[in-house]
mmCIF file of all heavy atoms in Angstrom:
data_model
loop_
_atom_site.group_PDB
_atom_site.id
_atom_site.type_symbol
_atom_site.label_atom_id
_atom_site.label_comp_id
_atom_site.label_asym_id
_atom_site.label_seq_id
_atom_site.Cartn_x
_atom_site.Cartn_y
_atom_site.Cartn_z
ATOM 1 N N ALA A 89 117.599 125.509 35.851
ATOM 2 C CA ALA A 89 117.194 126.886 35.935
ATOM 3 C C ALA A 89 115.711 126.936 36.060
ATOM 4 O O ALA A 89 115.016 126.047 35.609
ATOM 5 C CB ALA A 89 117.681 127.529 34.593
ATOM 6 N N GLN A 90 115.258 128.045 36.662
ATOM 7 C CA GLN A 90 113.849 128.362 36.758
ATOM 8 C C GLN A 90 113.708 129.814 36.750
ATOM 9 O O GLN A 90 114.548 130.623 36.990
ATOM 10 C CB GLN A 90 113.286 127.789 38.110
ATOM 11 C CG GLN A 90 114.037 128.353 39.277
ATOM 12 C CD GLN A 90 113.416 127.900 40.551
ATOM 13 O OE1 GLN A 90 112.257 127.973 40.790
ATOM 14 N NE2 GLN A 90 114.145 127.527 41.567
ATOM 15 N N ALA A 91 112.423 130.301 36.546
ATOM 16 C CA ALA A 91 112.056 131.677 36.679
ATOM 17 C C ALA A 91 111.265 131.815 37.928
ATOM 18 O O ALA A 91 110.476 130.840 38.262
ATOM 19 C CB ALA A 91 111.297 132.179 35.496
ATOM 20 N N PRO A 92 111.299 132.880 38.675
ATOM 21 C CA PRO A 92 110.543 133.088 39.883
ATOM 22 C C PRO A 92 108.968 132.973 39.567
ATOM 23 O O PRO A 92 108.401 133.934 38.919
ATOM 24 C CB PRO A 92 110.849 134.507 40.325
ATOM 25 C CG PRO A 92 112.208 134.767 39.689
ATOM 26 C CD PRO A 92 112.131 134.101 38.405
ATOM 27 N N THR A 93 108.381 131.903 39.904
ATOM 28 C CA THR A 93 106.959 131.697 39.622
ATOM 29 C C THR A 93 106.426 130.934 40.902
ATOM 30 O O THR A 93 106.745 131.438 42.002
ATOM 31 C CB THR A 93 106.712 130.776 38.360
ATOM 32 O OG1 THR A 93 107.675 129.699 38.335
ATOM 33 C CG2 THR A 93 106.961 131.662 37.130
ATOM 34 N N LEU A 94 105.683 129.911 40.809
ATOM 35 C CA LEU A 94 105.091 129.239 42.017
ATOM 36 C C LEU A 94 106.172 128.259 42.600
ATOM 37 O O LEU A 94 106.349 127.170 42.036
ATOM 38 C CB LEU A 94 103.826 128.571 41.470
ATOM 39 C CG LEU A 94 102.872 128.050 42.619
ATOM 40 C CD1 LEU A 94 102.386 129.168 43.456
ATOM 41 C CD2 LEU A 94 101.649 127.400 41.915
ATOM 42 N N PRO A 95 106.560 128.623 43.699
ATOM 43 C CA PRO A 95 107.589 127.661 44.330
ATOM 44 C C PRO A 95 107.158 126.331 44.593
ATOM 45 O O PRO A 95 107.964 125.324 44.290
ATOM 46 C CB PRO A 95 107.986 128.424 45.664
ATOM 47 C CG PRO A 95 107.626 129.814 45.541
ATOM 48 C CD PRO A 95 106.322 129.785 44.560
ATOM 49 N N ILE A 96 105.876 126.102 45.011
ATOM 50 C CA ILE A 96 105.440 124.724 45.316
ATOM 51 C C ILE A 96 105.309 123.963 44.196
ATOM 52 O O ILE A 96 105.450 122.615 44.213
ATOM 53 C CB ILE A 96 104.109 124.848 46.128
ATOM 54 C CG1 ILE A 96 103.782 123.581 46.915
ATOM 55 C CG2 ILE A 96 102.959 125.097 45.196
ATOM 56 C CD1 ILE A 96 104.670 123.315 48.114
ATOM 57 N N PHE A 97 105.176 124.446 42.924
ATOM 58 C CA PHE A 97 105.214 123.662 41.746
ATOM 59 C C PHE A 97 106.607 123.332 41.372
ATOM 60 O O PHE A 97 106.802 122.263 40.810
ATOM 61 C CB PHE A 97 104.600 124.463 40.499
ATOM 62 C CG PHE A 97 103.127 124.493 40.490
ATOM 63 C CD1 PHE A 97 102.365 123.971 41.370
ATOM 64 C CD2 PHE A 97 102.535 125.092 39.401
ATOM 65 C CE1 PHE A 97 100.890 123.951 41.332
ATOM 66 C CE2 PHE A 97 101.000 125.100 39.321
ATOM 67 C CZ PHE A 97 100.297 124.561 40.228
ATOM 68 N N MET A 98 107.595 124.183 41.626
ATOM 69 C CA MET A 98 108.875 123.971 41.138
ATOM 70 C C MET A 98 109.563 122.635 41.551
ATOM 71 O O MET A 98 110.195 121.981 40.778
ATOM 72 C CB MET A 98 109.818 125.141 41.529
ATOM 73 C CG MET A 98 111.240 125.216 40.842
ATOM 74 S SD MET A 98 110.957 125.327 39.022
ATOM 75 C CE MET A 98 109.956 126.790 38.936
ATOM 76 N N GLY A 99 109.323 122.356 42.837
ATOM 77 C CA GLY A 99 109.937 121.043 43.224
ATOM 78 C C GLY A 99 109.184 119.761 42.768
ATOM 79 O O GLY A 99 109.683 118.658 42.982
ATOM 80 N N THR A 100 108.086 119.936 42.120
ATOM 81 C CA THR A 100 107.317 118.811 41.584
ATOM 82 C C THR A 100 107.696 118.471 40.200
ATOM 83 O O THR A 100 107.471 117.348 39.623
ATOM 84 C CB THR A 100 105.815 118.947 41.769
ATOM 85 O OG1 THR A 100 105.404 120.097 40.818
ATOM 86 C CG2 THR A 100 105.343 119.273 43.070
ATOM 87 N N LEU A 101 108.268 119.409 39.416
ATOM 88 C CA LEU A 101 108.284 119.259 38.013
ATOM 89 C C LEU A 101 109.367 118.094 37.573
ATOM 90 O O LEU A 101 109.193 117.536 36.537
ATOM 91 C CB LEU A 101 108.768 120.543 37.381
ATOM 92 C CG LEU A 101 107.618 121.481 36.983
ATOM 93 C CD1 LEU A 101 108.073 122.821 36.630
ATOM 94 C CD2 LEU A 101 106.791 120.913 35.830
ATOM 95 N N SER A 102 110.362 117.807 38.411
ATOM 96 C CA SER A 102 111.260 116.732 38.063
ATOM 97 C C SER A 102 110.507 115.409 38.122
ATOM 98 O O SER A 102 110.677 114.534 37.213
ATOM 99 C CB SER A 102 112.467 116.682 39.041
ATOM 100 O OG SER A 102 111.987 116.483 40.394
ATOM 101 N N PHE A 103 109.626 115.248 39.054
ATOM 102 C CA PHE A 103 108.668 114.068 39.039
ATOM 103 C C PHE A 103 107.819 114.054 37.794
ATOM 104 O O PHE A 103 107.599 112.997 37.373
ATOM 105 C CB PHE A 103 107.803 114.147 40.315
ATOM 106 C CG PHE A 103 108.557 114.103 41.626
ATOM 107 C CD1 PHE A 103 108.977 115.089 42.403
ATOM 108 C CD2 PHE A 103 108.789 112.706 42.192
ATOM 109 C CE1 PHE A 103 109.628 114.991 43.549
ATOM 110 C CE2 PHE A 103 109.479 112.565 43.392
ATOM 111 C CZ PHE A 103 109.947 113.741 44.126
ATOM 112 N N CYS A 104 107.263 115.200 37.453
ATOM 113 C CA CYS A 104 106.503 115.192 36.229
ATOM 114 C C CYS A 104 107.251 114.807 35.001
ATOM 115 O O CYS A 104 106.761 113.969 34.203
ATOM 116 C CB CYS A 104 105.920 116.679 36.000
ATOM 117 S SG CYS A 104 104.916 117.396 37.282
ATOM 118 N N VAL A 105 108.535 115.256 34.863
ATOM 119 C CA VAL A 105 109.329 114.914 33.698
ATOM 120 C C VAL A 105 109.575 113.398 33.684
ATOM 121 O O VAL A 105 109.304 112.745 32.622
ATOM 122 C CB VAL A 105 110.673 115.675 33.648
ATOM 123 C CG1 VAL A 105 111.483 115.127 32.517
ATOM 124 C CG2 VAL A 105 110.332 117.187 33.511
ATOM 125 N N GLU A 106 110.013 112.916 34.791
ATOM 126 C CA GLU A 106 110.226 111.460 34.832
ATOM 127 C C GLU A 106 109.031 110.620 34.591
ATOM 128 O O GLU A 106 109.081 109.596 33.835
ATOM 129 C CB GLU A 106 110.835 111.059 36.276
ATOM 130 C CG GLU A 106 112.199 111.722 36.546
ATOM 131 C CD GLU A 106 112.614 111.465 38.011
ATOM 132 O OE1 GLU A 106 111.817 111.167 38.885
ATOM 133 O OE2 GLU A 106 113.859 111.643 38.276
ATOM 134 N N ALA A 107 107.907 110.872 35.189
ATOM 135 C CA ALA A 107 106.670 110.117 35.018
ATOM 136 C C ALA A 107 106.197 110.215 33.575
ATOM 137 O O ALA A 107 105.689 109.210 33.039
ATOM 138 C CB ALA A 107 105.569 110.608 35.973
ATOM 139 N N ALA A 108 106.226 111.451 33.028
ATOM 140 C CA ALA A 108 105.704 111.648 31.558
ATOM 141 C C ALA A 108 106.558 110.905 30.632
ATOM 142 O O ALA A 108 106.090 110.228 29.713
ATOM 143 C CB ALA A 108 105.689 113.053 31.239
ATOM 144 N N VAL A 109 107.883 110.894 30.710
ATOM 145 C CA VAL A 109 108.799 110.220 29.883
ATOM 146 C C VAL A 109 108.507 108.684 30.017
ATOM 147 O O VAL A 109 108.454 107.965 29.049
ATOM 148 C CB VAL A 109 110.278 110.543 30.186
ATOM 149 C CG1 VAL A 109 111.178 109.621 29.301
ATOM 150 C CG2 VAL A 109 110.458 112.060 29.806
ATOM 151 N N LYS A 110 108.447 108.209 31.245
ATOM 152 C CA LYS A 110 108.063 106.756 31.470
ATOM 153 C C LYS A 110 106.804 106.426 30.743
ATOM 154 O O LYS A 110 106.655 105.320 30.165
ATOM 155 C CB LYS A 110 108.154 106.543 32.929
ATOM 156 C CG LYS A 110 107.799 105.034 33.328
ATOM 157 C CD LYS A 110 107.876 104.774 34.793
ATOM 158 C CE LYS A 110 107.564 103.326 35.105
ATOM 159 N NZ LYS A 110 107.514 103.073 36.600
ATOM 160 N N GLY A 111 105.814 107.394 30.896
ATOM 161 C CA GLY A 111 104.501 106.984 30.420
ATOM 162 C C GLY A 111 104.416 106.885 28.935
ATOM 163 O O GLY A 111 103.513 106.154 28.480
ATOM 164 N N VAL A 112 105.355 107.528 28.173
ATOM 165 C CA VAL A 112 105.232 107.404 26.710
ATOM 166 C C VAL A 112 106.204 106.275 26.238
ATOM 167 O O VAL A 112 106.390 106.170 25.019
ATOM 168 C CB VAL A 112 105.487 108.701 25.997
ATOM 169 C CG1 VAL A 112 104.477 109.728 26.381
ATOM 170 C CG2 VAL A 112 106.930 109.258 26.278
ATOM 171 N N GLY A 113 106.916 105.591 27.117
ATOM 172 C CA GLY A 113 107.787 104.564 26.744
ATOM 173 C C GLY A 113 109.312 104.846 26.906
ATOM 174 O O GLY A 113 110.091 104.066 26.505
ATOM 175 N N GLY A 114 109.708 105.794 27.709
ATOM 176 C CA GLY A 114 111.103 106.101 27.992
ATOM 177 C C GLY A 114 111.818 106.900 26.999
ATOM 178 O O GLY A 114 111.171 107.288 25.935
ATOM 179 N N GLU A 115 112.972 107.189 27.231
ATOM 180 C CA GLU A 115 113.852 108.127 26.394
ATOM 181 C C GLU A 115 113.738 107.647 24.929
ATOM 182 O O GLU A 115 113.694 108.426 23.978
ATOM 183 C CB GLU A 115 115.271 108.097 26.827
ATOM 184 C CG GLU A 115 115.628 109.151 27.832
ATOM 185 C CD GLU A 115 117.095 109.222 28.049
ATOM 186 O OE1 GLU A 115 117.899 108.784 27.177
ATOM 187 O OE2 GLU A 115 117.513 109.939 29.004
ATOM 188 N N ARG A 116 113.794 106.321 24.643
ATOM 189 C CA ARG A 116 113.816 105.806 23.342
ATOM 190 C C ARG A 116 112.586 106.152 22.502
ATOM 191 O O ARG A 116 112.668 106.235 21.211
ATOM 192 C CB ARG A 116 114.105 104.336 23.324
ATOM 193 C CG ARG A 116 115.361 103.830 23.716
ATOM 194 C CD ARG A 116 115.504 102.314 23.840
ATOM 195 N NE ARG A 116 114.563 101.751 24.740
ATOM 196 C CZ ARG A 116 114.478 100.466 25.024
ATOM 197 N NH1 ARG A 116 115.220 99.628 24.299
ATOM 198 N NH2 ARG A 116 113.605 99.981 26.038
ATOM 199 N N ALA A 117 111.585 106.575 23.233
ATOM 200 C CA ALA A 117 110.371 106.956 22.446
ATOM 201 C C ALA A 117 110.202 108.439 22.166
ATOM 202 O O ALA A 117 109.235 108.890 21.382
ATOM 203 C CB ALA A 117 109.093 106.452 23.258
ATOM 204 N N LEU A 118 111.241 109.167 22.606
ATOM 205 C CA LEU A 118 111.174 110.720 22.478
ATOM 206 C C LEU A 118 111.745 111.000 21.119
ATOM 207 O O LEU A 118 112.778 110.519 20.622
ATOM 208 C CB LEU A 118 111.861 111.330 23.593
ATOM 209 C CG LEU A 118 111.410 111.071 24.985
ATOM 210 C CD1 LEU A 118 112.323 111.780 25.936
ATOM 211 C CD2 LEU A 118 109.995 111.502 25.136
ATOM 212 N N GLU A 119 111.123 112.023 20.484
ATOM 213 C CA GLU A 119 111.639 112.528 19.074
ATOM 214 C C GLU A 119 111.600 114.073 19.204
ATOM 215 O O GLU A 119 110.850 114.658 19.934
ATOM 216 C CB GLU A 119 110.742 112.012 18.017
ATOM 217 C CG GLU A 119 110.650 110.470 17.884
ATOM 218 C CD GLU A 119 109.764 110.102 16.824
ATOM 219 O OE1 GLU A 119 108.490 110.054 16.995
ATOM 220 O OE2 GLU A 119 110.250 109.884 15.592
ATOM 221 N N PRO A 120 112.461 114.660 18.355
ATOM 222 C CA PRO A 120 112.376 116.128 18.274
ATOM 223 C C PRO A 120 110.969 116.633 17.933
ATOM 224 O O PRO A 120 110.319 116.073 17.079
ATOM 225 C CB PRO A 120 113.409 116.437 17.131
ATOM 226 C CG PRO A 120 114.395 115.278 17.099
ATOM 227 C CD PRO A 120 113.497 114.086 17.554
ATOM 228 N N GLY A 121 110.535 117.634 18.663
ATOM 229 C CA GLY A 121 109.198 118.181 18.427
ATOM 230 C C GLY A 121 108.203 117.611 19.223
ATOM 231 O O GLY A 121 106.959 118.090 19.285
#
């Protein structure tokens, strides 16, 4: 889902999520909050 905002950003956010999660050590490093 998305809200109508900046289209050119929208297609980049999946890359942002993947890279940020990898950058902190992957799923196992994530905690609530």
Side-chain angles (χ1 to χ4, degrees):
Q90 60 172 315
T93 45
L94 190 62
I96 201 70
F97 277 5
M98 191 56 57
T100 66
L101 273 168
S102 60
F103 294 91
C104 299
V105 174
E106 290 172 345
V109 172
K110 181 180 179 180
V112 300
E115 274 192 11
R116 288 177 297 179
L118 301 177
E119 300 177 277

